[in-house]
Amino acid sequence: MTENKTDVILGKPLTRLDGPKKVTGQAKYAAEWLPPGVKHAWLIQSTIAKGTIEGIDDADAKKVPGVVAIITHKNAPQLNQKGSAHLEHELLIMQDNKIYHDRQNIGVVVADTIEAARYAASIVRVHYKAETPDSKLSGKTASTLFAPPDSGMRNISTDSHRGDFDAAYAAAPIKLEATYRIAREIHVPMEPHATTAEWSGDTLTIHDATQGISGVQSRLASIFDIPAKNIRCICKFTGGGFGCKGSVWSHVAITALAAKMTGSPVCLAMERRQSFGPVGFRPHNFQTVKLGADKSGKLLAMSNDTIVENCRYDQYVEYAALPTRFLYSCPNVRTTHRLKPLDIGKPTFQRAPGFSTGTASLEVAMDELAYATNTDPLQLRLINYAERDEHEDLPFSNKNLRKCYEIGAQRFGWDKRQAQPRSLKDGPWLIGYGLATATYPGHFSPAQAKAVLKSDGTAQVTSGSQDLGTGTYTAMAQVAADALGLPMESVHFDLGDTDFPAASGSGGSTTAGSVGTAVKYACDAVIDQLVALATADQKSPLQGLSKENITAANSCLIATDGSQKTDRFTEIMQRADRSQLTAMGTSDAGKLHRKYSMYSFGAHFAEVRVHEELGQIRVTRWVGVFDAGKIYNTRTALSQMYGGITMGIGMALLENMIMDPRYARTMNADLAEYHVPVNADVPPMDIVFVEEPDYKANVLGGYGVGELPITGAAAAVSNAIYNATGVRVREMPITLDTLLT
Ligand code: MOS
């Protein structure tokens, strides 16, 4: 099997295999696994953001009919603090009386019904000794900020230096300095967090709404101090994650703990309101960007100093300065990240962490530089085009960004852009055009898969991965069908069970490429076994042929030497008296990832209309052109583009998780007040993939595309608003009041 065999099914815009199950309600989500005797849990959350619990009065709650247990720090068992999860205070829940943030999970009521649990939880009276919390972040450097240690991940250090930024910036003919603020955001996936846990002796079965079943298994094993093999985590369907289901949060530990204490299976479904705090959010951040350039716009110096809020008990860094390190060619670059611990919950990854936020500053700064140097924004990006990754000092494995700009500009009609703000009008509407670059790293994560070819000509392929709703089931079946030479109907791909071969969590857009590679290797290995059987079989037309001259297609092995000889899978296996052939496939990052810098790229072109008198902002047109190598399924990938750009519009115009600074409590903890874009906020989108397979990235030639489209999207909106109005708003979301200056 050669790696650039023409793809037959891979790339096709097939509909989701799991679609019918979802629309008919047969797809079971974590809160829908209700084993016999299941009890329901309802969380008790803190109503202060800082202080201690002085007393808990649960006498009335205990009397509510159906209540089985009320668990708080007073009666919760001690968890193992020395395991691999020991660095994550997050999971060491209900171990003391301290309150670190609003809506901290401080207890749980277990009852026969969800109604009883919920009502009882509402009448548990908690007495606090409240202290004054601090949730305020400013863009000013202060002694309370701290530099996180380097993450240890390739390419991610807290600070970076290339050349001599200070000297180059001081000497630059054109200098631009701006601080950009991005509000705290939250994921709000359609399916809120939920967990069902059931113990049998010291083994635990857990159904969790998660982006990583293997992480749930290992973290719970750590805090309960049991071997990982005693825990089976299952997640067949996840109703969206966007990063908030990429970590194991305290409610998962609480559910397992409640099931253990009560001796019954327990199901805990979080209410939307309860999710604004204890299950992560994108942290509020300030980014000070400095660009030094010559008069033609050629960059001489760049810096990004990022200040991010953090909680007080764990650490999450929004690496917003990363794009500044490599996106443009520039000899002198400095970047820093600093954290401010506050009395808030733990922030976490949210769709394209670092890159959505980092492009929301840099790509606006580039627009400002275009105006400062009187250069077209597209031209400015071409002048500063990075031919190689100057941060890592490596060539890009593949980069077609220039093509993205060209195709996008042509389809959008960028040549009709008027540089002068307020020059395009339609009645009371000011019309503006905005451009921004998209980029996301080509991450890779270890994965394993197993392929079983059966004598009836069907195949079963499994991997302990998960499908967040992005289309993993479908894309992996496509990979397997091509590698096995079987039609889609004959391939069954399953995931979401730690009993399957282990795969990493689904984050960082790694699943398609990494799990896909493992699937392909497993299927290739099965075909190799089949080839060995056929070529050694005197009854096979392929007997004696060398492996290189045989390929798999149409459920047959086929000679590629021009002889037209074929042998059906079913017949080869029957003659060999084999009921099935089984093989494993393993993928890891590989050596290529040290020889090349890997990123996907793209270009957004946005049109906005701003009402001259009312300041109302409408996004009216969008062209997005993306370079992510081979696209595995052009239909599900397109959905990712729509979703990512929609979230980018949310960042630019709507999303803002607001805290009352006096109490550090979230004021808009529901979807009525936390605004995400709805259909009426989103224009039709013209999306193009520049499909050039990148076999340096992996054997399938492509990257995952879940995160790429949100990067740059908010900046394109912001730049279009400036072009329409001449008002530069350096904070997101940009609301109409900020335009009416
Ligand atoms: Mo994504 S924020 O890496 O789940």
Side-chain angles (χ1 to χ4, degrees), residues 9 77 240 295 321 351 374 462 502 522 598 612 628 631 659 672 712 723 729:
I9 300 171
K295 291 198 168 105
R351 204 168 194 168
N374 205 14
T462 49
M598 304 207 181
E612 199 168 5
I631 301 297
M659 279 183 189
N723 183 239
V729 182

Side-chain angles (χ1 to χ4, degrees), residues 211 242-243 349-353 440 506-508 707:
Q211 292 175 229
F242 313 111
F349 328 102
Q350 185 166 332
R351 204 168 194 168
Y440 192 74
S506 290
E707 308 188 71

Side-chain angles (χ1 to χ4, degrees), residues 239-319:
F242 313 111
C244 68
K245 294 173 184 162
S247 311
V248 187
W249 300 103
S250 64
H251 68 277
V252 182
I254 289 173
T255 312
L257 191 146
K260 202 174 174 69
M261 282 183 74
T262 59
S264 303
V266 169
C267 176
L268 185 151
M270 276 176 95
E271 186 191 25
R272 178 73 64 194
R273 232 173 248 284
Q274 293 175 329
S275 70
F276 283 72
V279 286
F281 46 83
R282 193 199 295 285
H284 183 192
N285 63 87
F286 288 86
Q287 300 172 50
T288 298
V289 176
K290 292 181 192 163
L291 300 180
D294 70 16
K295 291 198 168 105
S296 76
K298 176 78 196 79
L299 286 164
L300 302 170
M302 301 170 81
S303 71
N304 178 322
D305 296 300
T306 292
I307 295 174
V308 198
E309 66 179 3
N310 192 39
C311 62
R312 292 199 195 272
Y313 54 92
D314 269 335
Q315 184 179 293
Y316 168 78
V317 188
E318 178 78 15
Y319 286 104

Side-chain angles (χ1 to χ4, degrees), residues 24 84 86 187 237 252 270 319 374 410 424 429 467 483 510 523 534 613 621 632 643 666 738:
T24 56
S84 61
H86 73 284
H187 316 70
F237 300 97
V252 182
M270 276 176 95
Y319 286 104
N374 205 14
Q410 193 268 325
L424 264 184
W429 295 95
D467 189 337
T510 60
C523 295
E613 283 151 20
R621 230 155 41 87
Y632 302 149
T666 300
T738 55

